[in-house]
Amino acid sequence: MKALILVGGFGTRLRPLTLSVPKPLVDFANKPMILHQIEALKAIGVTEVVLAINYQPEVMLNFLKEFEKKLGIKITCSQETEPLGTAGPIALARDKLIDGSGEPFFVLNSDVISEYPLKEMLNFHKGHGGEASIMVTKVDEPSKYGVVVMEETTGKVKKFVEKPQIFVGNKINAGIYLLNPSVLNRIELRPTSIEKEVFPKIAAENKLYAMVLPGFWMDIGQPKDYITGLRMYLESLRKKSSAKLSTGSHFVGNVLVDESAVIGDGCLIGPDVAIGPGCIIESGVRLSRCTIMRGVRIKKHTCVSNSIIGWHSTVGKWARLENMTILGEDVHLGDEVYSNGGVVLPHKEIKSSILKPEIVM
């Protein structure tokens, strides 16, 4: 089986982290976002993953070469020269996706984090005999999304309603699809939307089915949702393989710590924290709802909450970072500095406090 991951654009909403690496390579729960998906695909027997990409393909491929060997899965790129929307890239990768076997292929949006119930989706797809399956997830505020209206018993999709102003349902497209090769004949090689142009036509022929995603779902393409997604992911990890989470007197709630990280005395860490490889957390530090990426040093008695600290940065003593502070790669924050939602670009030294949310160039 094959799979296509829609990698797409520049990751502007996750800057300054995406100024250092393409968005799918930004760490989430101590490994690149895209690796969560590739591992899930490999686990159900996918042998080749195609990345639909229009930005820095060399960086992506060089990085993923080591995982190709480690996971034993072929990873290739299909490069757009112009943005092709959400369906165009599928047409562009046609030759890579068709192998004559007639087997369906997966399409995933690279920003989505979930429990990836791909085996269940495969069984669902084979069971209904239609042309395409999409995963849907229930949300509290459907008016912000495209809503999928479906038959509850069979899952057959009736129609799509974009950002409905009156309630038509609470299930939205979760960005995970399983398509028969025949769907490729429906997509033209031009900038086009799978949600607005391709799926409605398949639904009109009663050949599109939706499966409600069990477990959590989050689009982690922007910082606030990234932090929420981390909370959901760690909670799911607690239920599925809690041995991966840290335990002990200085941990509260769900905390993921790489085994090479060093944590000092008298720290209080959690809930919902990920600490990456090679990090040094000095004594008396308080961390909650945050991601500390590879090679970061946080000095004594500092408090970090609701923030993302990028690779190889240092945070001085008695500092306080909160309210969606994001430090890009290699940022150095001085002692006793306060950041209230500061977004700091890579390779900066910050000596004075950031009192209101702003971008520091």
Side-chain angles (χ1 to χ4, degrees):
M1 278 190 82
K2 298 191 176 186
L4 180 76
I5 300 179
L6 299 169
V7 173
F10 304 115
T12 49
R13 294 178 306 162
L14 264 189
R15 284 181 184 164
L17 302 169
T18 47
L19 294 173
S20 298
V21 294
K23 183 170 57 179
L25 300 185
V26 171
D27 294 320
F28 177 82
N30 292 352
K31 60 184 167 194
M33 283 183 195
I34 201 166
L35 208 53
H36 292 273
Q37 296 183 332
I38 294 173
E39 286 174 352
L41 290 163
K42 164 72 181 171
I44 55 135
V46 169
T47 52
E48 182 175 352
V49 175
V50 182
L51 307 178
I53 194 165
N54 63 15
Y55 174 60
Q56 292 186 321
E58 311 78 18
V59 180
M60 287 282 289
L61 279 179
N62 289 343
F63 185 88
L64 291 165
K65 278 283 168 267
E66 64 172 294
F67 292 107
E68 223 180 11
K69 286 198 189 77
K70 212 181 280 182
L71 296 171
I73 188 167
K74 186 178 176 192
I75 301 171
T76 57
C77 267
S78 169
Q79 190 183 0
E80 307 165 40
T81 50
E82 59 166 337
L84 290 172
T86 51
I90 303 172
L92 186 66
R94 180 191 178 105
D95 294 346
K96 289 180 158 68
L97 294 169
I98 286 190
D99 56 6
S101 69
E103 284 288 312
F105 58 91
F106 283 98
V107 177
L108 285 81
N109 182 335
S110 71
D111 288 0
V112 166
I113 199 89
S114 76
E115 286 171 12
Y116 306 117
L118 304 178
K119 193 168 180 34
E120 294 86 334
M121 192 178 192
L122 209 46
N123 296 337
F124 172 76
H125 185 74
K126 289 182 173 160
H128 67 61
E131 199 174 355
S133 300
I134 66 174
M135 203 79 89
V136 294
T137 186
K138 293 178 182 173
V139 291
D140 296 333
E141 283 185 65
S143 61
K144 295 196 305 198
Y145 303 95
V147 172
V148 180
V149 181
M150 58 191 266
E151 284 177 10
E152 290 301 319
T153 46
T154 61
K156 187 184 284 182
V157 175
K158 295 178 184 169
K159 60 177 178 176
F160 289 78
V161 184
E162 193 60 37
K163 297 184 178 166
Q165 293 313 299
I166 54 166
F167 186 83
V168 291
N170 65 344
K171 297 179 190 74
I172 66 161
N173 174 359
I176 302 171
Y177 318 130
L178 186 55
L179 312 176
N180 286 353
S182 57
V183 173
L184 289 162
N185 300 329
R186 297 175 177 269
I187 306 172
E188 295 173 31
L189 182 52
R190 61 177 174 84
T192 168
S193 160
I194 197 162
E195 303 86 354
K196 291 176 186 160
E197 297 180 57
V198 181
F199 286 155
K201 285 178 186 162
I202 304 176
E205 294 175 24
N206 296 318
K207 292 180 180 175
L208 180 65
Y209 289 78
M211 173 184 154
V212 178
L213 178 80
F216 79 98
W217 176 89
M218 198 72 211
D219 177 329
I220 55 171
Q222 54 189 341
K224 178 170 62 63
D225 297 335
Y226 175 107
I227 294 290
T228 304
L230 181 66
R231 174 178 60 75
M232 293 173 164
Y233 175 86
L234 294 177
E235 186 54 40
S236 160
L237 205 57
R238 154 92 49 217
K239 290 174 189 153
K240 291 173 104 170
S241 48
S242 61
K244 291 182 179 172
L245 297 172
S246 299
T247 52
S249 59
H250 47 258
F251 296 111
V252 281
N254 300 327
V255 178
L256 185 66
V257 180
D258 186 89
E259 56 191 22
S260 64
V262 178
I263 294 175
D265 299 332
C267 291
L268 186 57
I269 295 174
D272 310 322
V273 174
I275 299 175
C279 289
I280 296 173
I281 311 296
E282 294 185 4
S283 59
V285 165
R286 175 74 180 104
L287 303 176
S288 65
R289 295 178 302 281
C290 62
T291 286
I292 311 295
M293 292 186 182
R294 183 181 62 250
V296 166
R297 183 181 203 108
I298 296 194
K299 297 187 180 173
K300 293 175 186 174
H301 309 300
T302 277
C303 177
V304 180
S305 68
N306 283 305
S307 297
I308 302 173
I309 311 300
W311 312 269
H312 307 291
S313 292
T314 54
V315 179
K317 291 179 240 175
W318 297 102
R320 185 179 184 94
L321 286 70
E322 59 190 21
N323 191 22
M324 280 301 136
T325 288
I326 306 173
L327 304 188
E329 182 185 17
D330 180 43
V331 167
H332 303 283
L333 214 73
D335 294 350
E336 299 182 35
V337 166
Y338 169 64
S339 171
N340 171 22
V343 173
V344 185
L345 272 62
H347 317 298
K348 291 286 296 176
E349 188 174 3
I350 303 292
K351 291 177 177 172
S352 55
S353 291
I354 303 166
L355 301 177
K356 62 180 196 300
E358 62 177 309
I359 297 170
V360 180
M361 310 288 276

